[in-house]
Amino acid sequence: MAQQQQQGMDSALFERRLRPVYDNLEVGNNRKALQESEKLLRKHPTLLCARALKGLSLLRLGRYDESHGCLQTVAEEKPTDDSTLQVLSFCYREMEQLDKIVELYQHAVKQNPGNEELLAHLFISHVRVEDYKAQQAVALQLYKAQPKNAYYFWSVISVVFQGIRGPESALPEKRKIYLGLAQRMVDKHIKEGKLETEQEAFLYLHILKLQNKFQEAWEFLTGELCAKLYPGAPVSMKFELLKELGNWRELNELLQQLLDADRDRWDFYKEYIQSSFELMKHAPQAEENGEKDSLARCQEFLQGIIDSSERKKRGPYLARLELHQRMRADQLPAEKLVGDFDEMVIEYFRLFGDKSCCTHDIALFLPSISMKQRQALASKLLLESGVSSTSLPKNKEQMQKHLCALQISRMCGSQMDLPVDHLLAFYTALKLHYEHGRSTFGKKLLSTEMGPSDAYALLAANVMYDLSRRENKSDHLFEALCLLQYVLRNSTSNFHVKLLSLKIYHLFGCQVGAQEMYEYLDIKQIQLDSMGYVHCQLLPLGGRFSGTRNVFDATLKFFTNSYKERLEYIALTYRFCTFSKMEEFMNFKERLTNSLQYVACSVEAQICDLVSCYGNIQQNLTAYAAMSIEPAEDRIAWHELSDNRDLEAVIRWDPLHEVDAGEERKESFDQEVEVLQVRSLMLRLFASFVDLYHGASSKDSPAGAEAATLELLRESWTGLFQRLRLMNYKPLAQKFLVNLLPTRLHLLLDLPYERFFDDLAQLVLDLQSGSGKLAEQCKRVGDNVISVMEMCVQTINESNECNGMDGLWKRRAQQQKVAASLEMLSLYAFLLSVLNDKLQVSSKTKSKKRPVDNKLDGPQPISEKERSQMLQELMRQLKHKLESCDAAIRTWKAPVLPRDLSSFMSDMSLKPEVEATLIGDVSATFKDSHEMMVTELRNLLKDKIRMVAK
């Protein structure tokens, strides 16, 4: 009836009256939108779209219960008009209840079976929930109603995704059936002459390749139909197919044509060299001359391009070096055919050494020669640069060549064995070169430009880290940090300097400095996933819980907002039939959804919230309930976690023979996953403690489900620690400045996390049952609290003692120990307040003569009153230990530098007017960081003392 009234209204009048609501929602004035919708509903109380808009306004105002009720009543009317359906869809998308959108449009389609628009919306709603089978059925229904190519190919792609992404995709037979069906559907369309667009041609090629039907794909790609529909097919498709078919001769000739037209395509050169070697391998054994000729022709072709190019390009020179390297790897006479390797590198250096990419280019080929040859080559390049230990670069180009030669020298290991005095002299020379380059060639730069001599300072910082690590002292690295801050004042856009400064601040446990650098980097959008690891993964247990939570909020906001956007991108690829982008978007969505960064930040944010709870018991329990932690359910897809870190963003010139980037990535990722395992399980275990007392009223869960869940999680907890100790993980290597800092795995294993939470689990169970061993368990938990408190106090005392020698070198590890101690005690305080509240309520209920309803009553060895007294004693004990921690933290001294400031100033040898403020500012940052951390930790302790002082 309501829909008939709505449909009967004049559409223009209808739109005009709803317009103020739409306008206010669009500009974010949700309160005014609510008022306008209520005003309209007073005149037209059955107007569905107005009621839906009211629900949307309530949702955005945070009045979720009212919004849910309003939207539910509208949905029960089973609307069919587009306006109401769109508003409801928008609400459900914001609430992430995508299955309800499917139900909406299913009801609408039942009432209007042939409606093209409703069917299209139903199809897209199935796309959002990735129901490929339903997608196919709706697409065929659409094609019958409106025979358009787009709808037919919606059905085809749905069948393809059933085969490669659906629940049966792991079964080869099913995959083969689905892909065969998809091919037959397109074959039928081709026979009928209905193929119309390049995207349809792309999809057909993709289906053939998925079935490994490379010959058919090649015939279609080179056929008339594809040439007509898909003239812009990427050349990489031809490369791929020719390689799969083993047609190296045709690939070789094709690449020669392409390289004649575009002479600087390094990717083409690599394919061309590969094809030349394959031709040599597949030539008949009898034709030995022919085998040599394929490489000889390759060399002649490359040399011809070099000789005939008017403007020198890097591509052919790099290709020549690649050919030389590949021939040596196969033990072929490379020097005889191509020339002397060192001479070719020097020639390349002469031509392109003034470009910043030259270092990376030459580094590609260094692993193929011996250490002795590498160091000899590095010496030749230093001579070739024309800058000696007693001279300075005459122009910008010569300075860049000198930088390149120094970077190559470090990559060849030439600087690693120098004695300390030589390294200090080298560092001084690098500073002077930086200052000379800045003052001579770095004037009038744009704010977005990097200083031309900044790389000298970056190299100097690496040298000083080598010295600090060799001596186990922080003074050299602190000096390097001051130099980097000086560079940053002159070159505000140099992100390499910011990244190294961020790393050093974290190394010294200075969270304020690290946060400043992180904000200065201005990481946004997808970089929060690929680059966020430089800061986010080092924040937990750093000593500042509230500051950490703010960073996590900003990161998680990106992931939650972009999730909805990613679903819409995939929906748009269907609407516009851009099949070539579908898998790319889907892979992107999966990588972000399963990103280690996202999952770890989510878990750490929740732990941070529990540790920082400071309200009364009801406020704390409300905050806990809002976290929606499900102890019985592990929501993390462990086998699908994705490592999206961009580890190459931090520039490095470390000795190649001592760097294994792939192994470093694997080790760090494995350990970060293990850390996440511990933290996630700790969160769920702790939640099971709370749920045992405050979550037992759930209607769906059977009696004793919470206790069973707790027992299961407790077994997993001890089992996890046993497995981790057997795995015998080694701390990440810290040989170079750009190495990733150690993960928290060894900290979690060394500290009493396992015993602390295992004993807490037994205490919670004994308190519930009134076990006769409760007093013994209370003693055990009390002893754990004493040991954690003593560890905290001892760590602070050690830190104060270290200050006399070097207050920075071990600072990070000390801060982590203290923060971890307070984390355990804070969670314990929260739990005791929950247990105490429950026992008090329980005793009141008992006094009202309802003993049967109380789960804690019954024939138990220890009475409820005795349990309450024991709990009160535990709270008193914890209060005293927290006060001891507070007293120790009050005496915690700020880190003292290993040398006085005047000594640093004499060593810095920069501009006198800069030195004092520069070193003073960096020192002040360390002091501020310490004071803020102490203030925050003391506030945390005050909250916990208040929490248990009852």
Side-chain angles (χ1 to χ4, degrees):
M1 187 70 188
Q3 289 189 56
Q4 289 173 1
Q5 180 182 340
Q6 183 167 316
Q7 289 162 5
M9 288 179 66
D10 177 69
S11 59
L13 177 66
F14 170 73
E15 284 293 330
R16 192 167 66 248
R17 289 184 175 175
L18 287 174
R19 179 52 48 196
V21 188
Y22 283 118
D23 290 343
N24 282 297
L25 283 168
E26 193 170 342
V27 297
N29 195 345
N30 302 315
R31 197 170 298 282
K32 181 68 174 172
L34 178 61
Q35 292 169 359
E36 291 288 346
S37 60
E38 287 176 334
K39 186 167 76 173
L40 185 58
L41 284 168
R42 281 196 287 273
K43 293 182 181 178
H44 304 282
T46 57
L47 199 58
L48 288 183
C49 190
R51 284 157 64 191
L53 287 168
K54 179 184 176 182
L56 178 57
S57 305
L58 290 166
L59 177 66
R60 290 187 171 175
L61 286 167
R63 293 157 65 175
Y64 301 115
D65 291 339
E66 294 174 68
S67 171
H68 175 74
C70 186
L71 296 172
Q72 186 66 28
T73 55
V74 177
E76 285 169 0
E77 295 270 352
K78 297 179 181 176
T80 57
D81 65 292
D82 187 57
S83 301
T84 306
L85 289 168
Q86 291 281 24
V87 175
L88 287 174
S89 297
F90 207 80
C91 292
Y92 290 137
R93 285 212 299 274
E94 286 199 9
M95 295 158 68
E96 295 184 21
Q97 296 177 351
L98 302 177
D99 53 321
K100 290 190 175 181
I101 304 177
V102 176
E103 292 174 18
L104 273 180
Y105 281 103
Q106 281 175 337
H107 291 312
V109 166
K110 279 179 187 174
Q111 295 176 63
N112 296 280
N115 188 304
E116 180 184 2
E117 195 169 341
L118 290 177
L119 281 167
H121 280 299
L122 177 59
F123 177 83
I124 295 300
S125 69
H126 284 306
V127 167
R128 291 193 188 99
V129 296
E130 295 183 346
D131 188 345
Y132 303 121
K133 194 170 185 179
Q135 282 178 217
Q136 182 197 0
V138 175
L140 289 174
Q141 196 177 341
L142 256 170
Y143 186 65
K144 286 175 185 173
Q146 291 289 333
K148 296 178 182 176
N149 256 22
Y151 301 148
Y152 187 81
F153 279 91
W154 283 6
S155 175
V156 173
I157 195 71
S158 300
V159 173
V160 172
F161 284 146
Q162 280 184 76
I164 63 174
R165 289 178 175 273
E168 300 171 312
S169 59
L171 303 170
E173 316 83 48
K174 292 287 184 181
R175 177 186 170 97
K176 186 177 179 182
I177 289 168
Y178 283 122
L179 292 174
L181 172 60
Q183 183 186 343
R184 288 195 298 277
M185 289 173 76
V186 184
D187 283 339
K188 178 175 177 288
H189 230 53
I190 291 172
K191 284 175 187 173
E192 294 172 359
K194 293 181 179 178
L195 215 63
E196 294 175 352
T197 67
E198 67 173 39
Q199 286 296 310
E200 292 164 6
F202 167 84
L203 181 57
Y204 185 56
L205 282 166
H206 188 57
I207 292 167
L208 291 172
K209 285 192 286 183
L210 285 171
Q211 298 177 90
N212 297 330
K213 295 183 177 180
F214 302 114
Q215 185 60 44
E216 288 181 50
W218 175 254
E219 288 168 5
F220 178 75
L221 182 61
T222 53
E224 289 182 16
L225 182 59
C226 190
K228 177 185 170 186
L229 296 178
Y230 198 10
V235 179
S236 57
M237 274 192 178
K238 288 189 176 180
F239 291 174
E240 188 183 337
L241 290 174
L242 286 170
K243 282 198 287 185
E244 292 291 351
L245 293 168
N247 196 340
W248 301 106
R249 174 66 63 196
E250 193 167 344
L251 176 59
N252 190 273
E253 290 169 1
L254 172 64
L255 285 162
Q256 282 193 1
Q257 295 168 16
L258 292 168
L259 285 167
D260 267 330
D262 188 351
R263 299 187 166 197
D264 209 23
R265 287 292 297 266
W266 173 232
D267 54 340
F268 287 1
Y269 280 113
K270 286 198 289 186
E271 297 285 1
Y272 175 64
I273 292 168
Q274 173 69 18
S275 67
S276 297
F277 274 89
E278 292 295 338
L279 279 174
M280 182 189 75
K281 286 178 190 174
H282 292 90
Q285 289 295 320
E287 298 179 11
E288 291 187 8
N289 292 333
E291 288 180 17
K292 292 175 184 175
D293 282 347
S294 67
L295 296 184
R297 283 198 304 271
C298 177
Q299 160 63 10
E300 287 169 13
F301 176 72
L302 296 176
Q303 194 60 46
I305 287 183
I306 289 171
D307 294 339
S308 62
S309 296
E310 293 178 8
R311 185 164 168 245
K312 297 299 178 186
K313 295 183 177 178
R314 293 160 55 223
Y317 290 93
L318 287 173
R320 216 170 43 163
L321 287 165
E322 175 72 11
L323 177 61
H324 199 288
Q325 179 174 256
R326 288 288 306 272
M327 286 184 73
R328 278 184 286 112
D330 288 357
Q331 297 182 335
L332 295 170
E335 196 163 326
K336 182 179 176 183
L337 179 65
V338 188
D340 182 72
F341 179 78
D342 283 13
E343 287 179 9
M344 287 195 297
V345 171
I346 291 168
E347 182 186 2
Y348 185 82
F349 180 76
R350 284 183 192 136
L351 291 169
F352 307 107
D354 58 344
K355 300 184 187 304
S356 57
C357 59
C358 184
T359 303
H360 171 73
D361 291 345
I362 293 175
L364 292 173
F365 308 102
L366 291 176
S368 67
I369 57 177
S370 67
M371 282 298 300
K372 187 177 178 182
Q373 195 177 347
R374 285 184 213 180
Q375 294 186 358
L377 178 60
S379 300
K380 290 176 185 175
L381 293 180
L382 277 168
L383 282 172
E384 189 64 37
S385 71
V387 181
S388 68
S389 57
T390 57
S391 62
L392 292 169
K394 297 173 183 174
N395 51 50
K396 195 173 176 180
E397 289 71 25
Q398 190 180 31
M399 182 182 72
Q400 185 57 54
K401 283 189 174 184
H402 184 229
L403 274 168
C404 176
L406 288 173
Q407 290 158 6
I408 292 292
S409 176
R410 180 174 175 82
M411 295 173 97
C412 293
S414 304
Q415 300 163 12
M416 297 312 296
D417 298 325
L418 293 175
V420 170
D421 54 343
H422 284 206
L423 279 178
L424 283 169
F426 182 44
Y427 168 73
T428 303
L430 289 172
K431 279 192 302 183
L432 293 172
H433 276 296
Y434 165 72
E435 191 60 42
H436 169 261
R438 187 193 70 79
S439 58
T440 310
F441 313 118
K443 298 289 179 66
K444 297 180 182 178
L445 293 177
L446 297 174
S447 61
T448 53
E449 287 185 286
M450 295 187 193
S453 62
D454 288 359
Y456 282 120
L458 293 170
L459 198 54
N462 280 277
V463 169
M464 289 302 254
Y465 177 81
D466 298 339
L467 270 170
S468 281
R469 187 174 175 277
R470 194 182 291 187
E471 298 180 354
N472 279 330
K473 286 170 60 181
S474 64
D475 54 348
H476 297 304
L477 194 53
F478 179 83
E479 189 179 335
L481 177 61
C482 293
L483 176 63
L484 291 175
Q485 295 306 293
Y486 176 59
V487 174
L488 209 49
R489 292 184 181 188
N490 303 320
S491 182
T492 55
S493 296
N494 195 324
F495 68 93
H496 297 300
V497 175
K498 296 173 191 176
L499 285 168
L500 277 193
S501 299
L502 173 68
K503 166 73 188 288
I504 296 170
Y505 274 127
H506 269 303
L507 188 67
F508 289 152
C510 180
Q511 292 233 21
V512 167
Q515 184 63 33
E516 283 177 6
M517 287 299 108
Y518 184 67
E519 290 169 1
Y520 206 4
L521 277 166
D522 198 23
I523 288 175
K524 293 176 180 174
Q525 298 300 323
I526 192 64
Q527 288 178 322
L528 289 166
D529 185 33
S530 62
M531 290 296 300
Y533 74 92
V534 296
H535 189 54
C536 290
Q537 289 181 355
L538 303 172
L539 287 176
L541 302 185
R544 292 199 54 210
F545 295 99
S546 63
T548 297
R549 189 64 174 90
N550 294 334
V551 176
F552 288 153
D553 281 342
T555 303
L556 293 172
K557 186 178 179 183
F558 156 72
F559 281 104
T560 50
N561 289 345
S562 67
Y563 178 76
K564 299 164 192 170
E565 293 170 8
R566 295 193 298 271
L567 289 175
E568 294 313 306
Y569 294 154
I570 293 169
L572 285 171
T573 59
Y574 278 95
R575 288 193 185 279
F576 295 105
C577 295
T578 48
F579 305 120
S580 57
K581 292 292 178 187
M582 278 185 186
E583 279 207 84
E584 186 181 329
F585 278 131
M586 286 184 168
N587 291 335
F588 179 66
K589 179 180 79 73
E590 286 173 10
R591 283 179 67 81
L592 281 188
T593 303
N594 297 313
S595 166
L596 176 67
Q597 172 81 345
Y598 172 45
V599 180
C601 283
S602 303
V603 170
E604 292 295 347
Q606 289 183 310
I607 293 174
C608 207
D609 284 345
L610 286 173
V611 169
S612 306
C613 276
Y614 60 88
N616 61 42
I617 184 64
Q618 290 309 318
Q619 290 171 329
N620 290 344
L621 285 171
T622 302
Y624 166 77
M627 295 181 198
S628 303
I629 305 168
E630 293 289 343
E633 181 186 353
D634 188 355
R635 298 170 179 169
I636 300 173
W638 293 103
H639 297 295
E640 294 174 20
L641 283 176
S642 177
D643 183 2
N644 300 338
R645 297 172 298 171
D646 180 7
L647 297 183
E648 294 180 3
V650 185
I651 196 167
R652 74 186 302 166
W653 305 296
D654 299 321
L656 295 175
H657 64 285
E658 296 192 25
V659 173
D660 187 343
E663 186 60 28
E664 185 183 1
R665 171 184 282 276
K666 183 181 181 304
E667 280 183 25
S668 68
F669 181 69
D670 288 347
Q671 290 191 29
E672 290 293 356
V673 171
E674 300 289 21
V675 169
L676 179 59
Q677 289 256 25
V678 174
R679 303 292 278 176
S680 170
L681 191 53
M682 184 183 88
L683 179 65
R684 290 168 58 212
L685 181 62
F686 186 81
S688 72
F689 300 163
V690 180
D691 285 359
L692 188 62
Y693 285 85
H694 283 272
S697 57
S698 174
K699 296 175 185 176
D700 300 329
S701 59
E706 286 84 3
T709 299
L710 193 158
E711 289 280 17
L712 194 64
L713 289 172
R714 185 185 176 191
E715 285 179 25
S716 300
W717 177 251
T718 53
L720 174 61
F721 276 86
Q722 287 172 9
R723 180 180 67 77
L724 288 174
R725 290 192 172 92
L726 286 172
M727 293 291 287
N728 196 26
Y729 284 105
K730 298 288 186 290
L732 298 181
Q734 296 298 293
K735 189 155 190 181
F736 303 110
L737 178 57
V738 298
N739 286 134
L740 294 166
L741 277 170
T743 65
R744 284 169 291 144
L745 182 61
H746 293 86
L747 178 76
L748 296 171
L749 290 172
D750 293 341
L751 298 187
Y753 271 91
E754 179 187 6
R755 186 178 72 250
F756 192 88
F757 286 98
D758 184 44
D759 286 340
L760 270 188
Q762 189 61 53
L763 174 71
V764 170
L765 291 168
D766 287 352
L767 267 172
Q768 189 206 35
S769 64
S771 166
K773 295 183 178 179
L774 180 58
E776 185 184 329
Q777 192 59 31
C778 286
K779 172 77 168 56
R780 190 174 289 117
V781 169
D783 290 345
N784 289 343
V785 170
I786 291 170
S787 68
V788 169
M789 179 276 294
E790 288 175 347
M791 181 180 69
C792 177
V793 173
Q794 183 185 350
T795 305
I796 291 170
N797 291 337
E798 285 174 4
S799 175
N800 289 338
E801 287 170 13
C802 285
N803 254 353
M805 298 169 285
D806 188 343
L808 291 177
W809 193 244
K810 297 180 180 178
R811 182 72 180 185
R812 179 171 180 264
Q814 290 162 346
Q815 286 179 188
Q816 284 188 326
K817 271 191 176 183
V818 172
S821 304
L822 297 189
E823 179 182 83
M824 285 186 271
L825 296 179
S826 296
L827 291 173
Y828 178 51
F830 179 91
L831 178 62
L832 286 183
S833 69
V834 170
L835 298 175
N836 183 58
D837 177 68
K838 185 65 177 178
L839 283 174
Q840 285 180 350
V841 171
S842 179
S843 60
K844 288 176 185 174
T845 310
K846 184 178 180 182
S847 66
K848 291 179 184 177
K849 299 181 182 179
R850 291 184 60 192
V852 181
D853 293 341
N854 195 337
K855 289 192 175 185
L856 294 175
D857 282 336
Q860 296 160 347
I862 295 182
S863 69
E864 204 166 83
K865 185 178 179 182
E866 287 177 298
R867 276 182 270 166
S868 184
Q869 287 172 348
M870 289 180 183
L871 192 61
Q872 292 289 336
E873 180 56 35
L874 286 174
M875 292 175 77
R876 275 193 296 273
Q877 183 199 37
L878 176 60
K879 179 174 177 286
H880 293 317
K881 300 311 168 194
L882 291 174
E883 286 169 347
S884 299
C885 290
D886 183 53
I889 289 173
R890 202 162 56 241
T891 66
W892 201 355
K893 297 174 186 174
V896 178
L897 304 179
R899 289 190 280 142
D900 58 37
L901 295 186
S902 59
S903 174
F904 274 118
M905 288 180 202
S906 63
D907 281 351
M908 284 295 288
S909 64
L910 299 173
K911 291 184 176 180
E913 67 273 16
V914 171
E915 289 170 354
T917 57
L918 183 70
I919 300 173
D921 288 350
V922 176
S923 303
T925 302
F926 280 89
K927 187 179 178 185
D928 291 347
S929 182
H930 173 78
E931 288 175 355
M932 288 178 73
M933 179 187 68
V934 165
T935 301
E936 188 170 322
L937 292 180
R938 290 198 65 202
N939 288 337
L940 177 74
L941 284 169
K942 284 175 186 173
D943 291 335
K944 302 311 163 195
I945 290 169
R946 189 168 59 248
M947 191 180 282
V948 295
K950 294 177 182 177

